[in-house]
Amino acid sequence: NLSPIRSSKEQLKGGGTASGPVSFMKGFDAFAGVIKSGGKTRRAAKMVILNVEHPDILEFIRCKVNEEKKAWTLIDGGYDSSFNGEAYSSIFFQNSNNSVRVTDDFMKAVVDDRAFQTRAVRDGVPMDTYRARDVFREISEAAWHCGDPGLQFDTTINAWHTSSNTDRINASNPCSEYMFLDDTACNLASLNLMHFRSIDGEFDVPAFEHAVDVTLLGQEIIVGFSKYPTERITKNSYDYRPLGLGYANLGALLMAAGLPYDSDEGRAYAGAITSLMAGRAYLQSAKIAEHLGAFAGYAANREPMLGVIRKHRKAAYQLPVHKTDSKLHVSQKAAWDEALSLGEQAGYRNAQVTVLAPTGTIGFMMDCDTTGIEPDLGLVKMKKLVGGGNMTIVNQTIPRALHRLGYTPEQVSDIVAYIDEEKSILGAPHLLPEHVSVFACSMGDNAIHY
């Protein structure tokens, strides 16, 4: 988070004006381009954040999209447009994810169509006045053009912060799933949700709970065996022991269950699974704390942490009941009951236990059709063959979903053959209109609305 850097609109003590955070971002970006992640072809990943009240916020919002336009011009001129090609390696800000930190006050100003003011970094005095909706529109349009900046909801993040007596949360990791104290590290692991779909198409709650227990214990063991880049990160990782258990393949699971990704039923199902995972993980953390003691920073943060657990439990009880899986709904409430009850007695071994990571690389290694919490990109996948050429494969979740929705084996074969030929489900034989939304993807002619 570069917000503590004085803005380009503020005076220096010896005369002149400061450079501002965006100018420093150019230097950081160049260094990141030199460093390959893990020594491989992927560039170093980093997150760059600016708070919405920073005087240079508009320059920050526009910086990446302005560079993107330069790349388009180079591509039109014949330069290589690939990830490591000449066009994109010639412009700034390609080695970072940029995010704006917004507050509830700013978002309410957007809703109410009010003005808001930026504030000087040095002394907090008001600087420029903007219409909040104009700034929000700039953020939206820049993200539409190039994917950046993202949004981080600072007020909400800190309201659900388990260690707020130590310090506030200022930033995230590059992919934005891990939010915690400065100078900490998080051990991640993800479960493939499709592996917990039983033969009859229901969600196997006992198997999922067991997987959460075992995986979280493994992650807790890893904390003491991991190597960290600085002494400060090492100390904080030992003192707070944050973990990041998550899942992948949600989009495939929803489709296989016959639920549209964009539906109240789909959201309730996803919410119940997520709630069960987090509640069960905190319960396991409390069980470990019974034997090994709570994390070192727990005593100073007991009240805020228990307060967050109580908020989770309240949210679990407010989840709408998913019409076909009452056992899942009951289990997720029970997990939070137990997690709070045991935590009040024993504390917790870990300050945080879950995240929802993108699982881009590991998702494919785990044979997932969809990554993280995302919907499917398309119903047909293109695979490059080792000996040259390509082949198309119809997503294997589709026949499962069709069987779940009550189609006969012959009807399923006809629909799959149509998709393979037409690369679309629209117009497929036998398909009922009310089932078209189940197969909506993030791209194509049957796309989920943005």
Side-chain angles (χ1 to χ4, degrees):
N1 191 323
L2 301 183
S3 301
I5 297 178
R6 199 180 332 189
S7 75
S8 61
K9 299 179 180 182
E10 294 175 65
Q11 298 295 311
L12 296 170
K13 194 172 182 180
T17 55
S19 298
V22 176
S23 64
F24 285 98
M25 285 166 59
K26 291 180 178 179
F28 297 150
D29 183 73
F31 278 119
V34 172
I35 303 166
K36 292 179 181 177
S37 185
K40 305 294 182 185
T41 55
R42 197 177 95 171
R43 292 172 181 155
K46 65 187 178 73
M47 173 64 71
V48 179
I49 295 165
L50 205 67
N51 298 343
V52 74
E53 67 270 15
H54 193 283
D56 287 346
I57 190 63
L58 286 182
E59 185 185 358
F60 178 80
I61 291 166
R62 295 165 180 164
C63 69
K64 201 163 184 177
V65 70
N66 288 342
E67 291 295 310
E68 186 84 9
K69 290 173 183 175
K70 295 178 187 176
W72 299 344
T73 302
L74 290 169
I75 293 165
D76 288 341
Y79 288 94
D80 183 0
S81 64
S82 63
F83 178 66
N84 289 309
E86 185 68 25
Y88 280 100
S89 61
S90 300
I91 61 174
F92 286 112
F93 312 127
Q94 296 305 296
N95 300 306
S96 66
N97 298 320
N98 296 351
S99 289
V100 177
R101 275 245 161 172
V102 294
T103 60
D104 277 5
D105 287 342
F106 172 78
M107 293 306 295
K108 285 171 184 172
V110 174
V111 171
D112 298 337
D113 197 10
R114 290 187 282 108
F116 95 103
Q117 288 183 313
T118 59
R119 296 190 172 274
V121 175
R122 283 191 67 194
D123 50 19
V125 301
M127 297 283 285
D128 298 310
T129 300
Y130 298 107
R131 182 181 176 224
R133 285 192 179 181
D134 290 342
V135 176
F136 197 70
R137 170 60 62 179
E138 289 238 16
I139 293 169
S140 305
E141 290 187 347
W144 184 85
H145 277 288
C146 68
D148 273 315
L151 286 178
Q152 293 189 1
F153 297 98
D154 187 82
T155 310
T156 302
I157 289 163
N158 282 288
W160 290 75
H161 181 17
T162 58
S163 298
S164 56
N165 284 348
T166 300
D167 200 358
R168 72 189 317 279
I169 294 175
N170 298 305
S172 74
N173 72 323
C175 295
S176 212
E177 74 270 20
Y178 173 59
M179 306 263 185
F180 198 51
L181 299 167
D182 292 349
D183 295 302
T184 53
C186 179
N187 293 298
L188 305 180
S190 293
L191 302 170
N192 183 348
L193 291 181
M194 283 294 284
H195 288 176
F196 302 97
R197 185 175 179 270
S198 60
I199 294 171
D200 59 3
E202 299 298 316
F203 192 77
D204 190 339
V205 171
F208 187 68
E209 289 178 332
H210 181 65
V212 170
D213 292 347
V214 173
T215 308
L216 196 92
L217 179 60
Q219 288 174 272
E220 157 59 25
I221 292 168
I222 286 171
V223 172
F225 287 91
S226 293
K227 302 297 181 189
Y228 303 95
T230 68
E231 286 184 22
R232 199 166 177 180
I233 294 175
T234 302
K235 184 179 187 308
N236 284 336
S237 297
Y238 290 160
D239 286 352
Y240 294 91
R241 313 185 75 80
L243 303 177
L245 176 64
Y247 59 64
N249 229 6
L250 175 68
L253 181 75
L254 291 173
M255 189 182 290
L259 297 171
Y261 185 93
D262 180 17
S263 67
D264 290 338
E265 293 82 11
R267 283 182 279 276
Y269 194 49
I273 292 170
T274 312
S275 177
L276 176 61
M277 178 180 71
R280 187 76 184 190
Y282 273 117
L283 172 59
Q284 178 73 333
S285 183
K287 287 179 179 178
I288 299 170
E290 268 192 307
H291 297 277
L292 299 176
F295 65 91
Y298 178 72
N301 289 285
R302 184 179 188 275
E303 288 313 308
M305 179 149 195
L306 288 174
V308 169
I309 301 296
R310 291 187 186 105
K311 287 203 286 188
H312 276 295
R313 180 175 175 270
K314 181 180 178 182
Y317 273 80
Q318 292 173 339
L319 258 177
V321 181
H322 175 249
K323 60 187 178 187
T324 62
D325 215 326
S326 58
K327 184 180 180 182
L328 175 60
H329 197 270
V330 170
S331 299
Q332 60 94 19
K333 289 193 289 188
W336 285 108
D337 287 341
E338 294 181 63
L340 177 60
S341 177
L342 186 55
E344 286 175 332
Q345 301 169 44
Y348 302 91
R349 183 65 173 166
N350 315 95
Q352 288 189 170
V353 290
T354 54
V355 302
L356 288 175
T359 68
T361 305
I362 66 165
F364 295 117
M365 291 175 67
M366 293 159 67
D367 203 26
C368 296
D369 283 323
T370 63
T371 59
I373 62 169
E374 295 180 21
D376 207 346
L377 282 169
L379 299 181
V380 180
K381 301 289 193 298
M382 182 83 71
K383 289 208 171 187
K384 287 186 177 180
L385 302 176
V386 175
N390 300 298
M391 69 178 289
T392 59
I393 303 170
V394 176
N395 185 342
Q396 289 307 295
T397 310
I398 295 169
R400 291 172 179 159
L402 292 167
H403 286 300
R404 175 77 170 173
L405 292 168
Y407 293 90
T408 66
E410 293 77 17
Q411 289 174 324
V412 171
S413 294
D414 289 347
I415 294 170
V416 170
Y418 178 89
I419 294 170
D420 195 22
E421 180 70 26
E422 301 295 331
K423 308 298 181 280
S424 172
I425 200 165
L426 298 183
H430 319 300
L431 188 70
L432 298 173
E434 60 265 30
H435 292 156
V436 172
S437 60
V438 172
F439 303 97
C441 299
S442 60
M443 300 168 67
D445 56 6
N446 184 27
I448 297 163
H449 196 280
Y450 59 83

